[in-house]
Amino acid sequence: MKNEKLTRKEIIDNRLKQAGWNVIDRTQVVEEYNIIVDKNLVQEAATPYAGHQYSDYVLLGKDGKPLAVVEAKKTSIDAAIGREQAKQYCHNIQKQHGGELSFCFYTNGHDIFFWDLDNYPPKKVYGFPTRDDLERYAYIRKARKPLAGELINTKIAGRNYQVASIRAVMEAIEKRKRKFLLVMATGTGKTRTCIALVDALMRAGWAERVLFLVDRIALRDQTLEAFKEHLPNEPRWPKQGEKEIATDRRIYVSTYPTMLNVIRSEEKSLSPHFFDLIVVDESHRSIYNTYQEILDYFNTVTLGLTATPTDDNTFQLFECEEGVPTFAYSYDEAVNHIPPFLSNFQVMKIKTKFQDEGINKRTITLEDQQKLMLEGKEIAEINYEGTEIEQKVINRGTNALIVREFMEESIKDANGVLPGKTIFFCISKAHARRVEEIFDSLYPEYKGELAKVLVSEDPRVYGKGGLLDQFVHNDMPRIAISVDMLDTGIDVRELVNLVFAKPVYSYTKFWQMIGRGTRLLELEKIKPWCTQKDNFLILDCWDNFEYFKINPKGKEPKSQVPLPVRLFGVRLEKIEEAQTQNNSEIVNREVQKIRKQVETLPQHSVVIMEAKHELQRLEDENFWNNLTSDKMELLKAFVKPLLRTVSDVDFKAMRFEKDIVEVSLAHLAGETEKFEALKESIIEVIGELPLSINSVAREQALIRQAQNNHFWASINEEKFEELIQKLSPLMKFREAVITLAPAKFNFKDIVVEKEFVKFGPQHEALSVAKYRELVEKKINELVSSSPILQKLKQGQELTTVEAEQLAEELHNEHPHITIDLLRKVYNHRKAALVQFIKHILGISPLETFAVTVTKAFDDFIAKHSYLTGRQLQFLDLLKNFVLDKGDVSKRNLIESPFTMLHPEGIRGIFNHKEIDEILNLTQQVLAA
């Protein structure tokens, strides 16, 4: 291990040089910087060090004043030993020379820690800052303004939840947090929200350079256009056609692979301290494994954006305590401002994009299309009708979407967490098993007990303690996934949800299935998991209610292990097998192979830099001479996962190489069945090589031999190696095989239609939209024969008597055209019949109560963009209170639920002037 002096000369000097510092230029760097801590001891000079301290390095600004201290330790000890020493040097230099010296580093050469004193705790970084970086840091510390008083540009992002999300991030930044997560539904303006945040941070002096990361080039271009529109004066990268990274811009928008290549570049890299803010769009998709190192590399504040945080990784990455994001605005909040009125049973119609438009090139997302291309599949060959789902084509994404929608929309138990008792009606047994697997995958915390398949041929279903008995009498399972078995004859009083995950064509059977949930609870037999049942919910995922024209009564795969990791792992297994057989020749050959793999690790990757200290052991030739169990454990547990950083390789060639190593391992271990299965698969792959290509044709003899059983009967290590060397490079020419039906995919699906369906007593098919169509059609038909409607259309006002006559006329025409139903369907609590008629005839458009209230509150927030996060939370609560109750009094504002935010309610959150403004606001919306 290197001592402190060697560490400085061989490692730290080099890393400072990489950051642009000239260590031998004393106008930039002073080594052994003399700090006088006691002038009296210096004057007496008992020893050369008396009254002095010596800082290993002091980095100077362009004005010659100290900018930062660097404390060096030898490589064999923890860099943190120098933490307090570095801080002490900073304070003592300030005492000696005056001014500010707020930055210090401590390092053992491999690990570098940066401490922004009195600002943030120490943080591990992956390189020293440039002189420009440090001077920017110093300027920001000095010039930035408090964010609490910084106005938000509501012309960029003026919706109440956008302002609230920006304020939540700004308040967290002032508390010195460094990572944030916004969970906002697709289409709610995440990009605009971020642009308004960037604008506020730049105006307040908290950020000079911002990086916006996206996962597709199309999104990069879209984001650049958005910045151009809203912040036209801020220079952006890249310009049209620009490839090389530039350092003179303020806004940077990049795809993950592009930025990864930049930071790994030996020639055109960026300093780890280049950005002040990084925004990660769709953060749950692309940032794990390889791309996470981008976030690790940069020392900056990081903001994640996502519509669907599908796993705990997203929350952990952005340091969200207990899975709570910095701010969330859900899909339900975005599309359903008011909860619908509930009746005896409700139907919710759900239709996905694939069900509506089929699965084809036009409907598959760009991201999924890119995945298909990477897998060598032809997008044009994928073309299925929506009605063919679960028949000719299986899409896990559609099933998973239905499951997630159910978990979100279902009626829950008294605790409000788990769904109440539910039946999922599935198309086939295989479909049922797939749905069960999705529940287990998405909700592993319930340990496989939440949902169970109940099919008639399964003997475990029947009898005491069987699956059906468990479903009826126990808390778990909550969801019975059924194919025909539970369609009829099973009465479970506690059922509160039915999910039609299949089309039904028998009218009788359909109503029998609905009947599973119609029974009421027996008060003397109340069960803990269902203490109340006012209604039950039907989720119709296949348009069954429209099909039968009823008139009711009213409602992401486990990520695969990267191929380089798998190849490395298989070779390690082969080494272990060869060791047990004392076959040193194979051990030596495989050792050379894995050493070559280790050499492919990208040296400028943050992950590899992090592991540099441990990887030094592998540089010693003696390490490889005798691979003991301890060394093998190191290779398995520590080195193997590092192979995930390898990206610049021919993956098709590597996949074939991995297959050959696997079959050679089975051959070595004498696993005949596994060997035969792998052999057949490899023969099939080799047979797909096109001999019409010259480079393939040159290996025709080997290709034909390798498809012959005689070749495999006499296989040996030399032949395995020959297959790898000669055929692996040809795999890129392999012809794609057309997928046999039923095709299986896992494409992302989205909800395109979700609406509540109202019910009337005659079982006539009337969705909300169709009810409107019926009313509007009837009224327009009556115009020609009704003098009262003609008078109204001519712009004349009706008398009270005429209005009553019109109501009677419409009721006689159709009994369900009532003021109550019109208010529900048109979402207006106070409008009179004549107002609805004027709206329908196009005389005077009627704004819904929800729209009136929402607009008023949004306008209020836009005019008061200085409001704090808690004040915005109060206004959101007040808006929902008004929408729910239709009224609000002064007294309400100092009672629950407003006292949940402050014991004094509105008085504890707003000043007198603001309270008066809020009272005026509520009076205006209630009078509308």
Side-chain angles (χ1 to χ4, degrees), residues 49 93 120 137 203 234 406 515 755 777 799 804 833 839 848 852 911:
Y49 290 95
I93 291 172
Y120 290 104
Y137 281 167
R203 281 188 283 106
E234 297 295 351
F406 158 73
E755 66 174 358
K777 182 181 178 184
T799 65
E804 290 173 355
L833 178 66
H839 173 76
T848 68
T852 301
N911 61 38

Side-chain angles (χ1 to χ4, degrees), residues 62 109 114 148 267-268 461 477 639 704 720 743 747 806 868:
K62 292 171 186 172
F114 172 50
E267 300 171 358
K268 276 283 197 178
V461 169
V639 179
R704 296 203 184 282
F720 285 131
F747 297 144
L806 179 58
T868 66

Side-chain angles (χ1 to χ4, degrees), residues 622-652:
N622 291 326
F623 177 89
W624 302 100
N625 290 337
N626 178 25
L627 287 179
T628 62
S629 58
D630 287 346
K631 292 178 182 177
M632 288 297 290
E633 185 58 32
L634 173 70
L635 292 171
K636 279 188 211 171
F638 182 77
V639 179
K640 184 174 79 168
L642 299 179
L643 271 295
R644 70 185 186 275
T645 61
V646 174
S647 57
D648 190 18
V649 293
D650 181 347
F651 283 104
K652 290 183 178 179

